[in-house]
Amino acid sequence: MSSVNASITLVIPSALSSLCRISSGPPSGTLRISADSVRGALAELARQFPDVHVRLCDERGNPRPHINVFVNDDHVRTRAGLDTPLAAGDTVSLLPAVSGG
Amino acid sequence: MVAQVVVTVGTKKGLFVLSGSATARRLNVAGPFFAGMPVNTTLIDQRTKTPKIMAVPSSPWFGTTIQVSKDLGQKFKPTKSAPAFAADDGRTLKNVWSLAPGQGKNELLCGIEPAALFRSHDGGESWDKVAGITDHSHARDWMPGAGGLCMHTILHHGGALHLGISTGGHYVSRDGGQSFAPENTGVGAGFQPNKFPEYGQCVHKIAAHPDHPNRMYMQNHGGFEEDPNLGVLRSDDGGKTWQSIAKGLPTDFGFPIVVHPQDVDTVYVLPLEPQTRTCPGGQPALWRSENAGGKWTKLTKGLPKKEAYFTVLRDGLDIDGGKKPSLWFGTTTGQLWRGRDGGDEFECVADSLPPIHCVKAAIV
């Protein structure tokens, strides 16, 4: 596994995009960050946007039970969970589960 | 000036705020706020000239926020943070079950699931763990009930801080919240081999009148045929010991219990059939005692006479502070009921809300 951070895209739920504002630009649900794993991507989210991270992850840094995490088209549970490595150009998507009722 | 009443209704799908003249037949309904998010607890904090309404939506997707309204429920704004365990604690916030004013001007206390207590000194912007109960040596022994392992009652009373935990029991701090001890003498646990353990009871709710420090009431987990006296209890020594006042009720099972704001001897419960946790016989009734549980009166005027099988949860019943106070209760089938004049006559205020988790009412 490479320890060099890759430039990746992080997609957060649209319901939280208003909390993401980079400098003077408009809020966006799509972030460009550098990380070498999904865990690293979440840590970077916590560093840059703590108000978003706390909505998506619990105190231990794990995604909330009704949040699914994908790398490109794969759910991370089918790969290496939060330790799934990232390569340049990957897209990590944090999506609300289809749940409720 | 006509008194105004404010009623907060936390539901499975958001918060509703009803307000208007206390004598009016119809109230204004605002909401839903935090649409789609369960709201398990609210607080009408009357320490400020204009009361603050606080609510805690807990989204299954996006976690928990503490929300504050300074305009009686027209708009809400989140505080900077919600209670949270340290990353290395091992526990994570599942839900918020209770909010209560603290003793300082901006102090708040918050009871959560898994059972733990947090304190804020700045109106909910930041929170610190109350270690005396959260890290109590008993804490890892407490077990979740059907609703989860929750700290649902926070009550400053008689110079002490009383907590209700399901299932953990009644804990009290008599040193300003530094240390806590179980005080459950007479509080039964019909679901354990030892019916009267030191702790581990499934306390459902605790209530008291602020002017009478020694008197307290408890709705405990009852409904055991072999011992029908575990559920509804009274303490006359500030919570140190408890005795049954269930005689005369159709069942000692239920969730909420409230005390009349002008009469410490008048107490209300809403008994439920213990297996189904719905109205006994499909006939809902609030029960009132005017002599501290010595005798009970069934209150049904205006309520459905048959085929009504709803549940009223532990925070689903409240009594406002009026001279002739109204009882307000919300059902899991989405009806909000008002019982005027201390419950003498009921009317359905709203009949098609989402399932109701909690109701708070105040004259402001």
Side-chain angles (χ1 to χ4, degrees):
Chain A
M1 184 188 303
S2 169
S3 60
V4 177
N5 285 348
S7 176
I8 62 109
T9 300
L10 181 65
V11 179
I12 65 164
S14 57
L16 300 180
S17 62
S18 65
L19 299 175
C20 288
R21 185 181 294 276
I22 301 172
S23 64
S24 59
S28 172
T30 302
L31 307 173
R32 310 282 182 206
I33 63 171
S34 293
D36 65 354
S37 68
V38 172
R39 192 183 305 280
L42 294 177
E44 188 61 13
L45 178 66
R47 191 184 70 79
Q48 291 192 33
F49 297 101
D51 291 348
V52 176
H53 182 266
V54 75
R55 305 297 299 277
L56 294 168
C57 297
D58 65 23
E59 297 98 314
R60 304 179 73 180
N62 295 318
R64 297 190 182 283
H66 292 249
I67 293 294
N68 288 319
V69 183
F70 294 85
V71 174
N72 303 323
D73 292 337
D74 297 336
H75 197 293
V76 294
R77 69 169 173 258
T78 67
R79 296 174 68 175
L82 297 185
D83 294 322
T84 300
L86 299 177
D90 279 346
T91 295
V92 176
S93 301
L94 305 173
L95 298 177
V98 178
S99 54
Chain B
M1 184 175 171
V2 178
Q4 300 289 302
V5 66
V6 172
V7 185
T8 58
V9 183
T11 78
K12 185 180 179 182
K13 297 294 182 181
L15 173 75
F16 297 83
V17 180
L18 289 78
S19 60
S21 165
T23 58
R25 303 303 293 183
R26 285 177 173 270
L27 298 175
N28 298 319
V29 181
F33 300 98
F34 331 116
M37 299 185 193
V39 176
N40 284 333
T41 191
T42 69
L43 169 67
I44 305 173
D45 188 348
Q46 296 189 275
R47 292 177 293 177
T48 50
K49 185 177 179 184
T50 300
K52 290 181 194 170
I53 295 177
M54 303 189 73
V56 189
S58 289
S59 164
W61 302 278
F62 302 137
T64 296
T65 57
I66 309 290
Q67 301 276 344
V68 183
S69 171
K70 296 180 179 178
D71 55 12
L72 291 178
Q74 294 182 54
K75 56 185 182 295
F76 285 82
K77 182 180 177 185
T79 64
K80 291 178 181 171
S81 68
F85 291 100
D88 61 357
D89 183 276
R91 292 171 287 185
T92 57
L93 172 69
K94 299 287 189 299
N95 224 325
V96 168
W97 282 84
S98 50
L99 268 178
Q103 296 191 303
K105 182 182 175 186
N106 290 313
E107 185 181 329
L108 292 164
L109 292 167
C110 183
I112 72 162
E113 173 192 354
L117 184 67
F118 286 79
R119 177 185 283 120
S120 172
H121 292 288
D122 55 11
E125 300 293 341
S126 62
W127 297 90
D128 296 313
K129 176 180 70 175
V130 179
I133 188 67
T134 301
D135 296 336
H136 197 286
S137 61
H138 298 168
R140 306 282 171 162
D141 296 338
W142 299 332
M143 300 284 285
L149 173 51
C150 57
M151 184 176 291
H152 51 72
T153 300
I154 303 170
L155 193 58
H156 283 286
H157 185 66
L161 177 57
H162 298 259
L163 304 174
I165 300 169
S166 175
T167 61
H170 167 233
Y171 281 74
V172 184
S173 173
R174 301 188 185 279
D175 59 6
Q178 295 299 306
S179 64
F180 289 79
E183 292 189 356
N184 294 302
T185 301
V187 184
F191 48 89
Q192 289 192 21
N194 175 6
K195 295 289 189 292
F196 290 94
E198 179 189 12
Y199 62 92
Q201 291 83 348
C202 186
V203 173
H204 286 181
K205 203 67 194 174
I206 304 169
H209 191 292
D211 297 337
H212 297 268
N214 288 327
R215 174 67 60 75
M216 301 183 78
Y217 297 97
M218 178 189 292
Q219 175 68 66
N220 186 39
H221 190 112
F224 299 95
E225 284 185 20
E226 66 278 16
D227 192 347
N229 299 306
L230 301 180
V232 186
L233 306 171
R234 188 184 80 210
S235 172
D236 293 319
D237 57 9
K240 294 184 176 70
T241 64
W242 299 82
Q243 51 278 328
S244 176
I245 52 170
K247 188 177 180 183
L249 292 169
T251 164
D252 65 337
F253 189 93
F255 290 112
I257 188 164
V258 298
V259 182
H260 194 289
Q262 278 93 45
D263 181 11
V264 69
D265 290 331
T266 297
V267 58
Y268 298 85
V269 293
L270 207 151
L272 298 174
E273 198 281 319
Q275 296 303 317
T276 63
R277 302 179 179 191
T278 60
C279 310
Q283 299 173 313
L286 195 69
W287 288 72
R288 177 177 64 202
S289 173
E290 296 176 303
N291 62 352
K295 181 183 177 186
W296 292 94
T297 301
K298 187 179 183 181
L299 305 173
T300 62
K301 190 174 182 182
L303 292 172
K305 301 299 180 216
K306 60 181 181 178
E307 298 168 356
Y309 293 94
F310 54 68
T311 300
V312 176
L313 298 174
R314 72 177 84 243
D315 287 305
L317 170 68
D318 199 11
I319 185 167
D320 65 38
K323 288 181 180 174
K324 292 184 176 180
S326 289
L327 280 295
W328 302 80
F329 72 82
T331 74
T332 51
T333 48
Q335 292 95 36
L336 178 67
W337 288 89
R338 179 181 191 175
R340 292 180 191 266
D341 296 340
D344 283 345
E345 184 168 4
F346 286 86
E347 65 205 55
C348 188
V349 177
D351 66 0
S352 296
L353 298 175
I356 294 173
H357 293 173
C358 59
V359 174
K360 290 281 193 305
I363 301 296
V364 298

